[in-house]
Amino acid sequence: MTIEPEITPALIEAHGLSADEYDRIIRRLNRAPTYTELGIFSAMWNEHCSYKSSKKWLRTLPTTGPQVICGPGENAGVVDIGDGQALVFKMESHNHPSYIEPHQGAATGIGGILRDVFTMGARPIATMNALSFGEVSHPKTRSLVNGVVEGIGAYGNCFGVPNIGGELRFHKSYNGNCLVNAFAAGLADADKIFYSAASGVGMPVVYLGAKTGRDGVGGATMASAEFDDSIEDKRPTVQVGDPFTEKRLMEACQELMRTGAVISIQDMGAAGLTCSAVEMGDKGGLGVRLDLEKVPCREPGMTAYEMMLSESQERMLMVLRPEKEAVAKAVFDKWDLDFAIVGETIAEDRFLVCMNGEVKADLPLKALSGDAPEYDRPWLPTAAAADMAELPEVDAAAALLSLISSPNYASRAWVWEQYDHTVMADTLVRPGSDAGIVRVHGTNKAIAFTSDVTPRYCRANPVEGGKQAVAEAFRNLCASGARPLATTDNLNFGNPQKPEIMGQFVGCIEGIGAACLVLDMPIVSGNVSLYNETDGRGILPTPTIGAVGLLDSVEDIIRAIPDSGDILVLVGETQGHLGQSALLAELFGREDGDAPHVDLGAERRNGEFVRAARGLITAAHDLADGGLALAAAEMAIAGKCGVSIAQTGTGYLFGEDQGRYLLALPAENLPELAALAAETGVPLAEIGAFGGENITLGTATLPLNIVTAAHRGALPQAFG
């Protein structure tokens, strides 16, 4: 018999449980838990798995619509894309592991999100990453950036799925806590989606994939805590990934699903075997018995505690049709992966964990999942932002050069060129545009992908910042010619026990929900990552929005590449809003004023106009950070031709008013475009033209080759 540690207040605290939560466990069990049971409760009741601080507010989000096949609660969301096909997608965080061990932390983040997708029967077709790092000058930033980018590339490239978009930002708030948000999407037949709810009593519970080791033990609990100077001690909680095993696991699962053997299936992610078994049982209203001596292990002498909390990668749990056991085993033998019956479903509300005949845990299953704590944390609304202080005189040429050479707004090619973005041969628009676009294989349809958030806005005005994140994703899809379908979110915040942080969360949720409703982009999946703090200093609120859109034909794609001789047209109203702008942050080191307010009705109207105008225009680009000047310069670089804009004024050129687009088109098409704008009530103004070898903003002129070199050289110079 294994001697287990005595449960002390210090041990309880080390497991991320409060004294009140431990008392709640005792009351629920009518006894003290064993050490293994304490670990199981710790795994299931942490923020990462239980969403105990966020559930109340997540329920307010719009999650349904005629396009939604499956909303939040499964491994990933599912939307209908017509012709009997479905898109399965989700975004989730691997923030804490990536800060502790950048390469493996980021790599296993990719592995985990891919499993979420193919667990549901989909074949992955695209990934994205939204990355937030500290200041470029910070001593850890260079190693974090290089490690994370290498880890993403190493795993994704070996697995063989294109990385087609994402985000990259740098800000001092992430100095002690980088963010690595991973997105994956896959295709499946709409009538062949696999879910995680177990069904049937006495059905075999089967372990699939790689063997269990000690890596990642306590990972979910670690991801639900702040960092301090003991961070290096947490390195063993980071998982180690093997993309080649993952590839075999996907192929084996795809083959297995075609046999009819699968009743339910769940990947082993956060909290490993514990979470997957409990969630399958809870969703199916059943109990689960596990016999741990049957679990394939790669390390000798593993305890029940270690096996239940290990987060070793490339593993799945399945409830199997018993008559198909031989067929299923043959599939996994073929792919040289472990297949072991490790338990069964039971009728009682019970999670029974045994090892060599010894009971290691005997718990009411509902207490672990359905009855997990749920908190209504105290929260303070974010105070209205003070008016922006006076802005010094700005030289437009110098301002543009400063922005376009900033690591925050320079070309991301140094990053995405390290990823395989064309594998599978269906990539139509590569990273670096408003949205990446992938053909639906064997059809003329395509899917567009984007991710967005502006954390400065979210801190200054969480409601408008939340709206803006969704609205910018909407604009990116529309500017690419895609009809927005749905969203996934990755809500990254600091400590929810601080009322001001919880207030940011509540405000952002309000804004996100309002925008998703008006723009018809329901949230179908997502992730919450809290406690992103180091030594009490939190990150900027960063509710990343991943969005997908549908193109009925590849001919509907709108690119951001103008032709020389095109005129330049501005869609939307310009007031010259400079509060919380990129100009303030990059040129003056200031983050004052209010965030720009979002008119959701205008966003929808203007986006639909751009899509309707696709036959008249050469190119489109949405306006966001850096305003009109930065967007026009990006189009000029893409088209390898200069651009001239006559109007001057800092607010006009660099303001970040929302709901706006730049369109490039032949001059002869302007009357028809103007008529369409008048018919739909869309503000439209001709403001310039493409051509020549310079970027001209009023009286300020920059050679295009200088701007291009600055744009492309910033990241290689900083991190190459």
Side-chain angles (χ1 to χ4, degrees):
M1 179 181 290
T2 306
I3 298 174
E4 296 188 333
E6 180 186 356
I7 296 177
T8 63
L11 189 65
I12 295 164
E13 185 180 359
H15 280 75
L17 294 165
S18 68
D20 286 346
E21 287 170 341
Y22 184 71
D23 288 344
R24 180 171 177 161
I25 292 170
I26 290 176
R27 290 195 302 272
R28 190 71 170 83
L29 301 181
N30 289 315
R31 59 175 175 82
T34 66
Y35 179 59
T36 301
E37 290 173 335
L38 182 71
I40 290 171
F41 272 107
S42 168
M44 293 305 302
W45 283 14
N46 62 63
E47 291 282 359
H48 197 78
C49 294
S50 75
Y51 295 88
K52 59 190 177 186
S53 296
S54 57
K55 278 191 286 192
K56 170 184 167 73
W57 302 104
L58 297 177
R59 294 191 189 101
T60 67
L61 292 170
T63 59
T64 59
Q67 70 273 49
V68 178
I69 295 173
C70 175
E74 274 293 338
N75 287 294
V78 187
V79 293
D80 190 346
I81 60 169
D83 306 310
Q85 294 179 299
L87 187 75
V88 180
F89 65 99
K90 187 184 181 184
M91 180 180 281
E92 73 178 19
S93 61
H94 235 225
N95 303 337
H96 286 52
S98 298
Y99 189 77
I100 297 167
E101 214 303 303
H103 185 107
Q104 290 296 345
T108 52
I110 298 296
I113 199 67
L114 287 168
R115 284 195 303 282
D116 280 335
V117 167
F118 69 72
T119 298
M120 297 195 71
R123 182 169 288 273
I125 62 166
T127 61
M128 296 191 294
N129 298 98
L131 310 176
S132 302
F133 296 102
E135 296 164 296
V136 174
S137 60
H138 190 272
K140 287 201 69 152
T141 299
R142 184 182 177 93
S143 64
L144 286 171
V145 170
N146 278 286
V148 165
V149 171
E150 287 169 3
I152 291 168
Y155 204 101
N157 295 355
C158 293
F159 184 87
V161 62
N163 192 313
I164 47 79
E167 294 183 281
L168 175 65
R169 71 177 54 83
F170 302 90
H171 189 278
K172 62 183 180 183
S173 75
Y174 307 106
N175 281 345
N177 198 130
C178 64
L179 302 183
V180 176
N181 294 175
F183 169 101
L187 288 173
D189 291 338
D191 61 350
K192 295 182 176 66
I193 305 297
F194 288 82
Y195 298 99
S196 58
S199 64
V201 175
M203 297 293 113
V205 175
V206 184
Y207 175 112
L208 307 168
K211 288 180 168 57
T212 294
R214 290 185 170 92
D215 55 317
V217 172
T221 301
M222 173 273 294
S224 304
E226 296 180 25
F227 287 146
D228 54 29
D229 57 10
S230 67
I231 185 172
E232 289 300 320
D233 298 340
K234 298 180 173 71
R235 193 172 297 273
T237 64
V238 179
Q239 313 93 324
V240 177
D242 179 353
F244 298 107
T245 299
E246 178 109 334
K247 178 71 170 176
R248 287 186 289 124
L249 180 61
M250 181 191 72
E251 297 296 349
C253 285
Q254 297 269 316
E255 188 172 334
L256 179 70
M257 288 165 173
R258 293 193 291 270
T259 68
V262 179
I263 295 175
S264 63
I265 190 164
Q266 174 85 21
D267 84 295
M268 291 195 216
L273 186 57
T274 292
C275 192
S276 55
V278 169
E279 287 190 357
M280 289 174 78
D282 182 53
K283 290 173 184 175
L286 295 168
V288 174
R289 173 192 170 106
L290 295 177
D291 295 301
L292 296 185
E293 70 275 8
K294 299 175 181 177
V295 172
C297 294
R298 67 168 184 262
E299 299 182 48
M302 289 190 68
T303 65
Y305 178 96
E306 292 169 330
M307 293 165 71
M308 293 305 297
L309 271 67
S310 167
E311 294 182 10
S312 295
Q313 298 292 286
E314 295 86 39
R315 303 181 299 157
M316 312 281 269
L317 203 65
M318 174 182 69
V319 177
L320 171 74
R321 300 190 189 282
E323 68 276 14
K324 295 280 190 177
E325 179 186 338
V327 173
K329 187 176 186 306
V331 169
F332 275 75
D333 287 347
K334 169 188 167 181
W335 289 99
D336 194 24
L337 293 165
D338 278 297
F339 177 101
I341 295 175
V342 296
E344 64 175 358
T345 57
I346 55 181
E348 310 99 292
D349 174 25
R350 193 177 184 193
F351 188 44
L352 183 61
V353 179
C354 302
M355 190 170 183
N356 297 316
E358 183 183 347
V359 175
K360 293 295 185 178
D362 189 353
L363 301 169
L365 191 142
K366 276 286 183 190
L368 298 170
S369 183
D371 297 337
E374 181 176 333
Y375 296 122
D376 185 2
R377 301 279 192 198
W379 60 278
L380 291 172
T382 301
D387 291 341
M388 188 185 84
E390 188 175 344
L391 189 67
E393 190 71 26
V394 171
D395 177 88
L400 175 60
L401 196 59
S402 179
L403 280 176
I404 211 152
S405 62
S406 160
N408 276 310
Y409 305 110
S411 168
R412 274 74 176 112
W414 177 83
V415 174
W416 59 258
E417 285 174 353
Q418 297 182 57
Y419 306 150
D420 194 334
H421 46 272
T422 60
V423 64
M424 302 176 76
D426 281 314
T427 300
L428 300 172
V429 176
R430 299 186 298 174
S433 193
D434 286 313
I437 301 178
V438 174
R439 184 195 301 270
V440 178
H441 192 74
T443 76
N444 201 40
K445 297 186 299 190
I447 307 292
F449 303 93
T450 190
S451 71
D452 288 286
V453 66
T454 307
R456 293 188 311 277
Y457 295 173
C458 295
R459 179 175 62 185
N461 189 329
V463 176
E464 294 300 324
K467 287 182 190 175
Q468 194 274 340
V470 179
E472 189 176 345
F474 176 86
R475 289 199 299 275
N476 282 338
L477 295 174
C478 291
S480 303
R483 173 169 57 86
L485 279 182
T487 55
T488 180
D489 58 10
N490 204 144
L491 307 174
N492 309 275
F493 290 82
N495 185 342
Q497 296 179 57
K498 296 177 179 177
E500 64 275 17
I501 301 296
M502 199 65 210
Q504 292 174 347
F505 184 88
V506 172
C508 285
I509 287 285
E510 180 185 336
I512 290 167
C516 288
L517 197 62
V518 173
L519 302 176
D520 193 19
M521 297 169 67
I523 297 274
V524 299
S525 59
N527 172 247
V528 178
S529 175
L530 304 176
Y531 296 96
N532 290 289
E533 298 199 359
T534 300
D535 295 327
R537 295 187 297 274
I539 61 164
L540 288 178
T542 311
T544 308
I545 299 294
V548 303
L550 177 67
L551 295 108
D552 295 321
S553 168
V554 297
E555 282 75 35
D556 292 339
I557 293 174
I558 304 171
R559 300 182 186 269
I561 306 172
D563 291 335
S564 183
D566 281 342
I567 61 171
L568 181 63
V569 170
L570 174 63
V571 174
E573 293 185 357
T574 299
Q575 302 293 328
H577 184 95
L578 288 167
Q580 300 296 329
S581 64
L583 183 82
L584 276 187
E586 296 295 333
L587 269 70
F588 303 105
R590 287 169 46 184
E591 295 177 7
D592 56 319
D594 197 5
H597 285 227
V598 180
D599 182 336
L600 293 170
E603 289 281 3
R604 180 158 185 164
R605 178 197 66 202
N606 295 356
E608 290 174 349
F609 165 79
V610 171
R611 298 203 309 274
R614 59 166 60 92
L616 300 171
I617 63 178
T618 310
H621 191 18
D622 86 302
L623 271 64
D625 292 84
L628 192 157
L630 188 59
E634 289 171 344
M635 292 180 79
I637 293 168
K640 299 178 181 178
C641 58
V643 64
S644 178
I645 298 169
Q647 191 163 332
T648 60
T650 302
Y652 180 80
L653 291 172
F654 298 98
E656 296 179 4
D657 307 280
Q658 299 296 295
R660 300 187 299 158
Y661 300 80
L662 287 181
L663 308 181
L665 66 155
E668 60 266 28
N669 291 354
L670 181 58
E672 190 175 348
L673 185 72
L676 179 62
E679 182 185 325
T680 53
V682 171
L684 191 73
E686 182 182 355
I687 64 168
F690 289 97
E693 297 180 353
N694 295 312
I695 294 176
T696 300
L697 306 173
T699 59
T701 297
L702 283 165
L704 177 62
N705 63 335
I706 299 294
V707 176
T708 301
H711 185 57
R712 293 177 177 168
L715 288 185
Q717 288 169 18
F719 303 111

